[in-house]
Amino acid sequence: MSKRRTWFALAWLVGLTVLLTWARLSLPVGDRSLFGTIVGLLIAVAVLFALRAIRRLARLRSPVVEWAEFDLASEPTITYADRRLTVDGHLIHPDGTQAAFRIPNVNSLAALDIVATKKLWITGRRAGLPGHLWTGPIRLHAPGPLPDHDHA
């Protein structure tokens, strides 16, 4: 658990304890039962854990993702700058048009797979491998001329 979550959980517990102590002390003297306070605290904690479990289960359910597979028109280039990998290249749409793309901050394994297979998988605004690695956001640019690789 991260430090931020730990501090947040501790602050929540302290706040709940203060609230229950205030509620207990505001009752008349004859109605202040320690057993009732403990039961109330246990019920509140159980409800919190149940809500947290429901939230985690909702996150686990992944939506159906539609992938589009594109062939690459040219050899993509991988650049390393500022401790990040970036993949640039040109992809071919199903209708034959081409578009330049850039994937900043790409995972090294995904970058190597893109270069080796000369294929790119896109869903929404993200690129990756279906069921495996996510490379991150992809930027598609207007179709442009392919770079000339004949000049060595």
Side-chain angles (χ1 to χ4, degrees), residues 92-115:
I92 303 172
H93 288 284
D95 62 359
T97 60
Q98 298 177 4
F101 71 88
R102 170 172 279 195
I103 307 172
N105 201 16
V106 65
N107 181 314
S108 60
L109 293 175
L112 292 174
D113 187 70
I114 292 168
V115 171

Side-chain angles (χ1 to χ4, degrees), residues 25-36:
L25 292 176
S26 65
L27 293 174
V29 177
D31 292 337
R32 291 184 194 167
S33 88
L34 183 60
F35 179 75

Side-chain angles (χ1 to χ4, degrees), residues 124-139:
R125 303 288 292 153
R126 297 182 61 89
L129 303 173
H132 296 288
L133 300 171
W134 287 93
T135 61
I138 184 169
R139 297 181 186 140

Side-chain angles (χ1 to χ4, degrees), residues 44-111:
V45 169
V47 167
L48 288 176
F49 277 120
L51 290 174
R52 190 172 181 189
I54 290 170
R55 199 171 87 198
R56 281 190 179 180
L57 286 175
R59 283 188 199 161
L60 289 178
R61 193 178 131 237
S62 62
V64 176
V65 178
E66 293 292 326
W67 287 90
E69 181 180 348
F70 296 96
D71 290 322
L72 300 184
S74 64
E75 188 75 29
T77 57
I78 300 174
T79 55
Y80 181 75
D82 297 327
R83 305 174 92 188
R84 286 194 239 164
L85 289 176
T86 302
V87 177
D88 293 299
H90 288 80
L91 60 86
I92 303 172
H93 288 284
D95 62 359
T97 60
Q98 298 177 4
F101 71 88
R102 170 172 279 195
I103 307 172
N105 201 16
V106 65
N107 181 314
S108 60
L109 293 175

